[in-house]
Amino acid sequence: MTEVLVNGVKPAVRDDAENNRYVIEADGDQLGLIDYRMRDGNIALIHTEVDKAKSVPGLARLLVTEALGDARARGLGVLPYCPYVRRTIDKNRDEFLDLVPEGRRAEFKLD
Protein backbone atom coordinates (compact mmCIF):
# COMPACT_ATOMS: atom_id res chain seq x y z
CA MET A 1 0.00 0.00 0.00
CA THR A 2 1.26 3.47 -0.89
CA GLU A 3 2.02 5.70 2.07
CA VAL A 4 -0.93 7.92 2.93
CA LEU A 5 -0.13 11.57 3.68
CA VAL A 6 -2.45 14.41 4.66
CA ASN A 7 -0.82 17.80 4.10
CA GLY A 8 2.56 16.05 4.14
CA VAL A 9 1.86 14.29 7.46
CA LYS A 10 1.32 10.56 7.95
CA PRO A 11 -1.98 10.07 9.80
CA ALA A 12 -1.96 8.11 13.05
CA VAL A 13 -4.64 5.72 14.25
CA ARG A 14 -5.37 5.41 17.95
CA ASP A 15 -7.89 3.57 20.08
CA ASP A 16 -10.12 6.07 21.87
CA ALA A 17 -11.37 3.38 24.29
CA GLU A 18 -13.31 5.87 26.40
CA ASN A 19 -15.57 6.55 23.41
CA ASN A 20 -15.42 3.02 21.90
CA ARG A 21 -13.83 4.12 18.65
CA TYR A 22 -10.65 4.15 16.67
CA VAL A 23 -9.77 7.59 15.34
CA ILE A 24 -7.38 8.63 12.60
CA GLU A 25 -5.70 11.99 13.00
CA ALA A 26 -3.07 14.16 11.36
CA ASP A 27 -1.63 17.28 12.99
CA GLY A 28 -4.22 17.03 15.78
CA ASP A 29 -7.09 17.06 13.28
CA GLN A 30 -9.52 14.11 13.39
CA LEU A 31 -10.04 12.74 9.88
CA GLY A 32 -12.20 9.69 10.54
CA LEU A 33 -13.33 7.02 12.97
CA ILE A 34 -14.56 3.46 13.47
CA ASP A 35 -17.16 2.90 16.18
CA TYR A 36 -16.86 -0.44 17.98
CA ARG A 37 -18.26 -2.54 20.80
CA MET A 38 -16.43 -5.23 22.76
CA ARG A 39 -18.26 -8.57 23.03
CA ASP A 40 -16.95 -11.78 24.59
CA GLY A 41 -13.36 -11.49 23.36
CA ASN A 42 -14.45 -10.01 20.03
CA ILE A 43 -14.48 -6.49 18.74
CA ALA A 44 -17.59 -5.61 16.73
CA LEU A 45 -16.62 -2.96 14.19
CA ILE A 46 -19.90 -1.13 13.69
CA HIS A 47 -19.40 1.97 11.55
CA THR A 48 -16.54 3.61 9.65
CA GLU A 49 -16.53 7.18 8.42
CA VAL A 50 -13.99 9.67 7.10
CA ASP A 51 -14.43 13.40 6.69
CA LYS A 52 -14.94 13.77 2.94
CA ALA A 53 -13.55 17.32 3.00
CA LYS A 54 -10.28 16.08 4.56
CA SER A 55 -10.01 12.64 2.99
CA VAL A 56 -7.23 11.52 0.68
CA PRO A 57 -6.98 8.24 -1.25
CA GLY A 58 -6.22 5.33 1.06
CA LEU A 59 -7.25 7.08 4.28
CA ALA A 60 -10.22 4.82 5.10
CA ARG A 61 -8.21 1.71 4.21
CA LEU A 62 -5.38 2.83 6.50
CA LEU A 63 -7.85 3.38 9.35
CA VAL A 64 -9.40 -0.07 8.89
CA THR A 65 -6.13 -1.99 8.44
CA GLU A 66 -4.63 -0.33 11.53
CA ALA A 67 -7.74 -1.21 13.56
CA LEU A 68 -7.58 -4.81 12.32
CA GLY A 69 -3.89 -4.95 13.20
CA ASP A 70 -4.66 -3.71 16.69
CA ALA A 71 -7.37 -6.37 17.10
CA ARG A 72 -4.83 -9.02 16.05
CA ALA A 73 -2.22 -7.70 18.48
CA ARG A 74 -4.78 -7.82 21.30
CA GLY A 75 -5.94 -11.34 20.41
CA LEU A 76 -9.48 -10.22 19.59
CA GLY A 77 -11.83 -11.75 17.06
CA VAL A 78 -13.36 -9.28 14.62
CA LEU A 79 -17.09 -9.01 13.91
CA PRO A 80 -17.24 -6.83 10.76
CA TYR A 81 -20.72 -5.31 10.92
CA CYS A 82 -19.47 -2.26 9.00
CA PRO A 83 -19.75 -2.94 5.24
CA TYR A 84 -16.45 -1.18 4.50
CA VAL A 85 -14.59 -3.29 7.08
CA ARG A 86 -16.25 -6.42 5.69
CA ARG A 87 -15.18 -5.53 2.10
CA THR A 88 -11.63 -4.85 3.26
CA ILE A 89 -11.45 -8.27 4.91
CA ASP A 90 -13.03 -9.96 1.88
CA LYS A 91 -10.56 -8.32 -0.55
CA ASN A 92 -7.60 -9.22 1.69
CA ARG A 93 -8.61 -12.68 2.93
CA ASP A 94 -5.02 -13.92 3.24
CA GLU A 95 -4.23 -11.08 5.60
CA PHE A 96 -7.42 -10.66 7.64
CA LEU A 97 -9.98 -13.48 7.29
CA ASP A 98 -8.49 -15.41 10.22
CA LEU A 99 -9.55 -12.54 12.52
CA VAL A 100 -13.24 -13.33 11.94
CA PRO A 101 -14.24 -16.29 14.13
CA GLU A 102 -14.82 -19.28 11.86
CA GLY A 103 -18.28 -19.94 13.27
CA ARG A 104 -19.36 -16.36 12.51
CA ARG A 105 -18.03 -16.00 8.94
CA ALA A 106 -21.28 -17.06 7.24
CA GLU A 107 -23.10 -14.30 9.12
CA PHE A 108 -20.90 -11.78 7.31
CA LYS A 109 -20.87 -13.67 3.98
CA LEU A 110 -17.18 -14.44 4.45
CA ASP A 111 -17.40 -18.24 4.31
CSV table of all heavy atoms in Angstrom, one decimal, residues 10-34:
chain,number,residue,atom,x,y,z
A,10,LYS,N,1.9,11.9,7.9
A,10,LYS,CA,1.3,10.6,7.9
A,10,LYS,C,0.3,10.5,9.1
A,10,LYS,O,0.6,10.8,10.2
A,10,LYS,CB,2.4,9.5,8.2
A,10,LYS,CG,1.8,8.1,8.2
A,10,LYS,CD,2.8,7.0,8.4
A,10,LYS,CE,2.1,5.7,8.4
A,10,LYS,NZ,3.0,4.6,8.6
A,11,PRO,N,-1.0,10.2,8.8
A,11,PRO,CA,-2.0,10.1,9.8
A,11,PRO,C,-1.7,8.9,10.8
A,11,PRO,O,-1.1,7.9,10.4
A,11,PRO,CB,-3.3,9.8,9.0
A,11,PRO,CG,-3.0,10.1,7.6
A,11,PRO,CD,-1.5,9.9,7.4
A,12,ALA,N,-2.1,9.1,12.0
A,12,ALA,CA,-2.0,8.1,13.1
A,12,ALA,C,-3.3,7.6,13.5
A,12,ALA,O,-4.3,8.4,13.6
A,12,ALA,CB,-1.2,8.7,14.2
A,13,VAL,N,-3.4,6.3,13.8
A,13,VAL,CA,-4.6,5.7,14.3
A,13,VAL,C,-4.4,5.4,15.7
A,13,VAL,O,-3.4,4.9,16.1
A,13,VAL,CB,-5.0,4.4,13.5
A,13,VAL,CG1,-6.2,3.8,14.0
A,13,VAL,CG2,-5.2,4.8,12.0
A,14,ARG,N,-5.4,5.7,16.5
A,14,ARG,CA,-5.4,5.4,18.0
A,14,ARG,C,-6.7,4.9,18.4
A,14,ARG,O,-7.8,5.3,17.9
A,14,ARG,CB,-4.9,6.6,18.8
A,14,ARG,CG,-5.9,7.7,18.9
A,14,ARG,CD,-5.4,8.9,19.8
A,14,ARG,NE,-6.3,10.0,19.7
A,14,ARG,CZ,-7.4,10.1,20.4
A,14,ARG,NH1,-7.8,9.1,21.3
A,14,ARG,NH2,-8.2,11.1,20.3
A,15,ASP,N,-6.7,4.1,19.5
A,15,ASP,CA,-7.9,3.6,20.1
A,15,ASP,C,-8.4,4.6,21.1
A,15,ASP,O,-7.7,4.8,22.1
A,15,ASP,CB,-7.6,2.2,20.7
A,15,ASP,CG,-8.8,1.6,21.4
A,15,ASP,OD1,-9.9,2.1,21.3
A,15,ASP,OD2,-8.6,0.6,22.0
A,16,ASP,N,-9.5,5.2,20.9
A,16,ASP,CA,-10.1,6.1,21.9
A,16,ASP,C,-11.1,5.2,22.7
A,16,ASP,O,-12.3,5.2,22.4
A,16,ASP,CB,-10.8,7.2,21.1
A,16,ASP,CG,-11.5,8.2,22.1
A,16,ASP,OD1,-11.5,8.0,23.3
A,16,ASP,OD2,-12.2,9.1,21.6
A,17,ALA,N,-10.6,4.4,23.6
A,17,ALA,CA,-11.4,3.4,24.3
A,17,ALA,C,-12.5,4.0,25.1
A,17,ALA,O,-13.6,3.4,25.3
A,17,ALA,CB,-10.5,2.5,25.2
A,18,GLU,N,-12.3,5.2,25.6
A,18,GLU,CA,-13.3,5.9,26.4
A,18,GLU,C,-14.6,6.1,25.6
A,18,GLU,O,-15.7,6.1,26.1
A,18,GLU,CB,-12.8,7.2,26.9
A,18,GLU,CG,-13.7,8.0,27.8
A,18,GLU,CD,-13.1,9.2,28.4
A,18,GLU,OE1,-12.0,9.1,28.9
A,18,GLU,OE2,-13.7,10.3,28.3
A,19,ASN,N,-14.4,6.3,24.3
A,19,ASN,CA,-15.6,6.5,23.4
A,19,ASN,C,-15.9,5.4,22.5
A,19,ASN,O,-16.7,5.5,21.5
A,19,ASN,CB,-15.3,7.8,22.6
A,19,ASN,CG,-15.4,9.0,23.5
A,19,ASN,OD1,-16.3,9.3,24.2
A,19,ASN,ND2,-14.3,9.8,23.5
A,20,ASN,N,-15.2,4.2,22.7
A,20,ASN,CA,-15.4,3.0,21.9
A,20,ASN,C,-15.3,3.3,20.4
A,20,ASN,O,-16.1,3.0,19.6
A,20,ASN,CB,-16.8,2.4,22.2
A,20,ASN,CG,-16.9,1.9,23.6
A,20,ASN,OD1,-16.0,1.2,24.0
A,20,ASN,ND2,-18.0,2.2,24.2
A,21,ARG,N,-14.1,3.9,20.1
A,21,ARG,CA,-13.8,4.1,18.6
A,21,ARG,C,-12.3,4.2,18.4
A,21,ARG,O,-11.6,4.6,19.3
A,21,ARG,CB,-14.5,5.4,18.2
A,21,ARG,CG,-14.1,6.7,18.8
A,21,ARG,CD,-14.8,7.9,18.3
A,21,ARG,NE,-16.2,7.7,18.1
A,21,ARG,CZ,-17.1,8.6,18.0
A,21,ARG,NH1,-16.7,9.9,18.2
A,21,ARG,NH2,-18.4,8.4,17.8
A,22,TYR,N,-12.0,3.9,17.2
A,22,TYR,CA,-10.6,4.2,16.7
A,22,TYR,C,-10.8,5.5,15.9
A,22,TYR,O,-11.8,5.7,15.3
A,22,TYR,CB,-10.2,3.1,15.7
A,22,TYR,CG,-9.8,1.8,16.3
A,22,TYR,CD1,-10.7,0.7,16.3
A,22,TYR,CD2,-8.5,1.6,16.9
A,22,TYR,CE1,-10.4,-0.5,16.9
A,22,TYR,CE2,-8.2,0.4,17.4
A,22,TYR,CZ,-9.1,-0.6,17.5
A,22,TYR,OH,-8.8,-1.8,18.0
A,23,VAL,N,-9.8,6.3,16.1
A,23,VAL,CA,-9.8,7.6,15.3
A,23,VAL,C,-8.5,7.7,14.5
A,23,VAL,O,-7.4,7.1,14.9
A,23,VAL,CB,-9.9,8.8,16.3
A,23,VAL,CG1,-11.3,8.8,16.9
A,23,VAL,CG2,-8.8,8.9,17.3
A,24,ILE,N,-8.6,8.4,13.4
A,24,ILE,CA,-7.4,8.6,12.6
A,24,ILE,C,-7.2,10.1,12.6
A,24,ILE,O,-8.2,10.9,12.3
A,24,ILE,CB,-7.5,8.0,11.2
A,24,ILE,CG1,-6.2,8.1,10.4
A,24,ILE,CG2,-8.7,8.5,10.4
A,24,ILE,CD1,-6.1,7.3,9.2
A,25,GLU,N,-6.0,10.6,12.9
A,25,GLU,CA,-5.7,12.0,13.0
A,25,GLU,C,-4.4,12.4,12.3
A,25,GLU,O,-3.5,11.5,12.1
A,25,GLU,CB,-5.5,12.3,14.5
A,25,GLU,CG,-6.7,12.0,15.3
A,25,GLU,CD,-6.5,12.1,16.8
A,25,GLU,OE1,-5.4,11.6,17.3
A,25,GLU,OE2,-7.3,12.7,17.5
A,26,ALA,N,-4.3,13.6,11.9
A,26,ALA,CA,-3.1,14.2,11.4
A,26,ALA,C,-3.0,15.6,11.9
A,26,ALA,O,-3.9,16.4,11.8
A,26,ALA,CB,-3.1,14.1,9.8
A,27,ASP,N,-1.8,15.9,12.4
A,27,ASP,CA,-1.6,17.3,13.0
A,27,ASP,C,-2.7,17.7,14.0
A,27,ASP,O,-3.2,18.8,13.9
A,27,ASP,CB,-1.5,18.3,11.9
A,27,ASP,CG,-0.1,18.6,11.5
A,27,ASP,OD1,0.8,18.3,12.2
A,27,ASP,OD2,0.1,19.3,10.5
A,28,GLY,N,-3.2,16.7,14.8
A,28,GLY,CA,-4.2,17.0,15.8
A,28,GLY,C,-5.6,17.2,15.2
A,28,GLY,O,-6.6,17.5,16.0
A,29,ASP,N,-5.8,16.9,13.9
A,29,ASP,CA,-7.1,17.1,13.3
A,29,ASP,C,-7.7,15.7,13.1
A,29,ASP,O,-7.0,14.8,12.4
A,29,ASP,CB,-6.9,17.8,11.9
A,29,ASP,CG,-8.2,18.3,11.3
A,29,ASP,OD1,-9.2,18.3,12.0
A,29,ASP,OD2,-8.1,18.6,10.1
A,30,GLN,N,-8.9,15.4,13.6
A,30,GLN,CA,-9.5,14.1,13.4
A,30,GLN,C,-10.0,14.0,12.0
A,30,GLN,O,-10.8,14.9,11.5
A,30,GLN,CB,-10.7,13.9,14.4
A,30,GLN,CG,-11.3,12.5,14.2
A,30,GLN,CD,-12.3,12.2,15.3
A,30,GLN,OE1,-12.0,12.4,16.5
A,30,GLN,NE2,-13.4,11.7,14.9
A,31,LEU,N,-9.7,12.9,11.3
A,31,LEU,CA,-10.0,12.7,9.9
A,31,LEU,C,-11.1,11.7,9.7
A,31,LEU,O,-11.8,11.6,8.7
A,31,LEU,CB,-8.8,12.4,9.1
A,31,LEU,CG,-7.6,13.3,9.2
A,31,LEU,CD1,-6.4,12.7,8.6
A,31,LEU,CD2,-7.9,14.7,8.7
A,32,GLY,N,-11.2,10.8,10.7
A,32,GLY,CA,-12.2,9.7,10.5
A,32,GLY,C,-12.2,8.9,11.8
A,32,GLY,O,-11.5,9.1,12.8
A,33,LEU,N,-13.2,7.9,11.8
A,33,LEU,CA,-13.3,7.0,13.0
A,33,LEU,C,-14.0,5.7,12.6
A,33,LEU,O,-14.6,5.6,11.5
A,33,LEU,CB,-14.2,7.7,14.0
A,33,LEU,CG,-15.6,8.2,13.6
A,33,LEU,CD1,-16.6,7.0,13.8
A,33,LEU,CD2,-16.0,9.4,14.3
A,34,ILE,N,-13.8,4.7,13.5
A,34,ILE,CA,-14.6,3.5,13.5
A,34,ILE,C,-15.2,3.3,14.8
A,34,ILE,O,-14.4,3.2,15.8
A,34,ILE,CB,-13.7,2.2,13.2
A,34,ILE,CG1,-13.0,2.4,11.8
A,34,ILE,CG2,-14.5,1.0,13.2
A,34,ILE,CD1,-12.0,1.2,11.6
